[in-house]
Amino acid sequence: MPNPFHLKINTPDGTSYEDDVLQVELKTPNGMIGFLAEHQPSVGSILPSICYIKDQKGNRVSAVINTGIYKMDGKQINVITDFFNFTDRIDESVFELRRKKIEQAINQKDIKDVKIYEQIQRKLEEEIKELSEISKK
């Protein structure tokens, strides 16, 4: 069995998760990356997706994570994102809150092209639907 290492996930609301784990899988622009203890030090970006965490008992759990960054030093991985929640704890209220935050961010930008705005809205609807379906599994 792999050695444990420390995982810490921070959001604007504070530390969302912190524990010693056996493995973490994150989606990056280059695809999914799995991290184990003593992984090569690295820094990178995370894409909105489902991430996976294997706890010290060997249980593999899934969570919804938004765009963010990670830093792995071989002994610890720190993740900073604006949204993180385990899929078994997500209900429709979480999606509605997430939708409102995204819409606020969109409205703060000066998007004058209606087509671009409509594309963003359509993409948001698709992602909310996909995450909702994943969380029901």
Side-chain angles (χ1 to χ4, degrees), residues 49-52 60-65 83-92 94-95 130-137:
S49 62
I50 302 296
C51 69
Y52 300 94
R60 186 175 184 245
V61 296
S62 60
V64 176
I65 192 166
F83 182 81
F84 175 87
N85 205 333
F86 289 101
T87 54
D88 64 351
R89 296 183 191 159
I90 293 179
D91 59 23
E92 291 303 315
V94 171
F95 293 118
E130 180 182 338
L131 291 175
S132 179
E133 289 171 3
I134 289 170
S135 71
K136 292 177 184 174
K137 290 181 182 179

Side-chain angles (χ1 to χ4, degrees), residues 6-11 14-19 24 26 46 51 53 63-65 69 77-86:
H6 197 72
L7 167 64
K8 185 173 184 180
I9 300 175
N10 289 302
T11 67
T15 300
S16 290
Y17 182 82
E18 184 171 16
D19 203 355
V24 178
L26 300 170
I46 301 166
C51 69
I53 299 168
V64 176
I65 192 166
I69 58 171
I77 185 168
N78 289 305
V79 175
I80 300 172
T81 181
D82 70 347
F83 182 81
F84 175 87
N85 205 333
F86 289 101

